[in-house]
Amino acid sequence: MKTIQEALEHELQDLYSAESQIIEALPLMAQRAGNATLRKAFESHLKQTEKQRERLEKACQMLGCEPEGELCMGMQGLLEEAEKLMGEDFPNEVMDALLIGAAQKVEHYEIAGYGTVCSLAQTAGQQKIADLLEKTLNEEKATDEKLTKIATEKVNKKAVKS
């Protein structure tokens, strides 16, 4: 029978795979973004994602497990959709709105994942891991809010006019 700690290890490895895939995808999304604010947000989030992946490595070290596991299929699907979208022929303003939507899908997946690992860590008596990853959970929520602000204050209004 599997334990809560094994479930935590599995979820940490899933997030590690997800973050690794995001690190590969963000430069492409930044390159495709026409809006300078959006491009900077993607570039900034790349740096933040690298730090988040380091936190996952630390959490795995604390548990005594390897961070690398199976491929995160959920993130792979979201990023494949984003990649397909970037190949479409939309005006720049509309593409920016669609890129924000794709990025927010990724953020929501991460918010769910980090919420899960924080809860599992607390339940397993791993409060230090929960505290460490709660930082990432809060960053993901802030990134989602930042993307919403960019969409509502800048990008979506321009997309309607194009």
Side-chain angles (χ1 to χ4, degrees):
M1 180 178 264
K2 300 262 184 182
T3 66
I4 191 91
Q5 182 157 326
E6 288 171 308
L8 176 59
E9 290 173 10
H10 177 271
E11 292 300 312
L12 289 171
Q13 290 170 337
D14 189 70
L15 283 169
Y16 186 83
S17 172
E19 296 291 18
S20 296
Q21 291 177 60
I22 294 165
I23 287 169
E24 289 182 28
L26 276 170
L28 300 171
M29 294 175 79
Q31 184 178 15
R32 189 67 169 93
N35 180 279
T37 304
L38 179 58
R39 187 177 319 107
K40 288 177 188 171
F42 286 151
E43 291 167 352
S44 172
H45 194 59
L46 174 59
K47 292 174 187 166
Q48 189 177 61
T49 302
E50 289 167 348
K51 290 177 184 171
Q52 292 169 347
R53 188 170 67 173
E54 289 173 9
R55 284 188 202 126
L56 288 166
E57 290 169 354
K58 186 174 181 179
C60 286
Q61 183 181 27
M62 293 165 76
L63 275 180
C65 70
E66 291 295 320
E68 293 180 5
E70 294 181 28
L71 179 70
C72 175
M73 301 296 287
M75 188 57 65
Q76 181 182 32
L78 291 173
L79 294 175
E80 283 176 358
E81 283 185 18
E83 186 178 335
K84 183 179 179 206
L85 178 72
M86 288 187 284
E88 296 288 329
D89 187 29
F90 287 101
N92 284 344
E93 296 82 2
V94 176
M95 179 57 69
D96 287 343
L98 293 170
L99 285 171
I100 289 171
Q104 286 190 296
K105 289 175 186 178
V106 167
E107 292 308 312
H108 292 189
Y109 185 92
E110 291 180 294
I111 289 166
Y114 281 104
T116 298
V117 295
C118 287
S119 178
L120 288 173
Q122 288 173 342
T123 303
Q126 299 286 345
Q127 191 59 47
K128 287 183 181 179
I129 292 174
D131 292 343
L132 177 67
L133 298 178
E134 188 174 359
K135 292 176 189 174
T136 301
L137 176 60
N138 291 333
E139 289 171 352
E140 300 298 4
K141 290 177 181 178
T143 297
D144 182 53
E145 290 173 13
K146 182 178 185 178
L147 288 168
T148 295
K149 185 175 181 179
I150 293 169
T152 57
E153 293 180 4
K154 298 180 185 285
V155 170
N156 291 353
K157 292 173 186 176
K158 290 181 181 178
V160 169
K161 295 176 183 176
S162 67

